[in-house]
Amino acid sequence: MEDVITTYQLPYDPQYPVVCFDEACKQLFGEVRPPQAAEPGRPARQDYEYERKGVCHQLILCEPLTGWRHVRVTERRTRKDYAECLRELVDVYYPNAQKIRLVQDNLNTHDGASVYEAFPPHEARRILEKLEFHYTPKHGSWLNLAESEISIMNSQCLNRRLESVTEVAQQVAPWEEARNAKRIQVHWTFTVAAARQKLKKLYPSVED
């Protein structure tokens, strides 16, 4: 926990950006009957019945101090999807960074082994050498600021029935573009000292 908090409190350095990563899953629903648009004197109508269309996944990256985020919408959540997301982060979004400090949770696919499963050894090594992993503790996912971005995304653009991966991607893209244009940032204020006081019960009991 203290490692993540300390990472968030580092001064901004474009050569060593702090980026948060997390994943979300959305259930897809299709309409059984076409919804009816609103008309004068009558609100829009949507049948309570729906058809299950499976799920899709959103892999989200965000840099709290610059107000940048990117969402990759996929059909599955596999090691390969994770590895491709990391390569995109390194090569497309931060090609000039010396090292990317990546905050993420302890999901079993969130490790270097996933990169080696997806790419040849030399390519996997190249990608991993640009990354520095910082893991949130078990039951401590609230420390991951990407989780806040997911909550905002769900409430602002995914809070309706969507029936395909394409449709989800079409909703997410303009949301991402608009938030990036506004450069909506997050400034972490919870310090290690505050954590030691307010979360004292989570620390091991050690006698002086």
Side-chain angles (χ1 to χ4, degrees):
M1 176 178 67
E2 291 191 0
D3 173 63
V4 173
I5 294 174
T6 301
T7 300
Y8 284 152
Q9 292 184 310
L10 293 171
Y12 174 69
D13 186 341
Q15 291 298 306
Y16 294 88
V18 175
V19 177
C20 301
F21 172 83
D22 204 358
E23 301 178 10
C25 177
K26 177 171 177 61
Q27 186 134 26
L28 303 174
F29 297 108
E31 301 289 354
V32 175
R33 299 176 183 83
Q36 298 179 359
E39 295 181 0
R42 192 189 73 182
R45 295 179 179 180
Q46 183 181 46
D47 199 291
Y48 69 90
E49 287 190 75
Y50 55 82
E51 180 181 0
R52 294 184 184 275
K53 298 280 190 175
V55 298
C56 76
H57 300 269
Q58 302 87 52
L59 284 65
I60 186 164
L61 296 158
C62 67
E63 186 182 1
L65 291 181
T66 62
W68 171 84
R69 74 273 301 144
H70 172 64
V71 183
R72 185 185 182 104
V73 181
T74 64
E75 294 182 357
R76 298 168 299 278
R77 182 190 62 78
T78 66
R79 286 184 176 274
K80 183 178 180 181
D81 293 312
Y82 170 74
E84 289 177 346
C85 191
L86 293 190
R87 183 163 70 171
E88 184 179 28
L89 174 68
V90 167
D91 292 345
V92 177
Y93 299 110
Y94 294 91
N96 299 319
Q98 292 292 319
K99 186 82 72 172
I100 301 167
R101 297 174 172 129
L102 187 66
V103 176
Q104 58 183 356
D105 61 25
N106 276 294
L107 197 64
N108 63 335
T109 57
H110 294 177
D111 57 22
S114 294
V115 185
Y116 275 97
E117 285 191 18
F119 306 117
H122 66 278
E123 176 69 355
R125 187 72 256 153
R126 181 188 68 81
I127 295 168
L128 291 173
E129 284 180 348
K130 293 289 295 287
L131 299 169
E132 179 182 287
F133 294 131
H134 296 269
Y135 290 99
T136 59
K138 189 176 181 181
H139 306 305
S141 62
W142 57 273
L143 286 163
N144 191 343
L145 291 175
E147 195 170 271
S148 299
E149 284 291 326
I150 289 172
S151 178
I152 295 168
M153 175 182 67
N154 287 339
S155 66
Q156 292 184 348
C157 75
L158 297 182
N159 59 343
R160 60 186 70 90
R161 290 180 190 172
L162 301 170
E163 65 175 28
S164 69
V165 174
T166 300
E167 198 170 351
V168 171
Q170 289 172 345
Q171 294 293 320
V172 167
W175 172 84
E176 175 187 314
E177 183 178 358
R179 280 183 70 79
N180 283 342
K182 293 178 181 178
R183 300 179 66 85
I184 299 175
Q185 303 170 342
V186 179
H187 294 281
W188 185 266
T189 59
F190 191 58
T191 64
V192 170
R196 291 176 180 174
Q197 180 180 10
K198 296 184 178 181
L199 304 176
K200 185 177 180 180
K201 64 181 181 180
L202 299 181
Y203 284 80
S205 179
V206 180
E207 295 183 0
D208 293 333

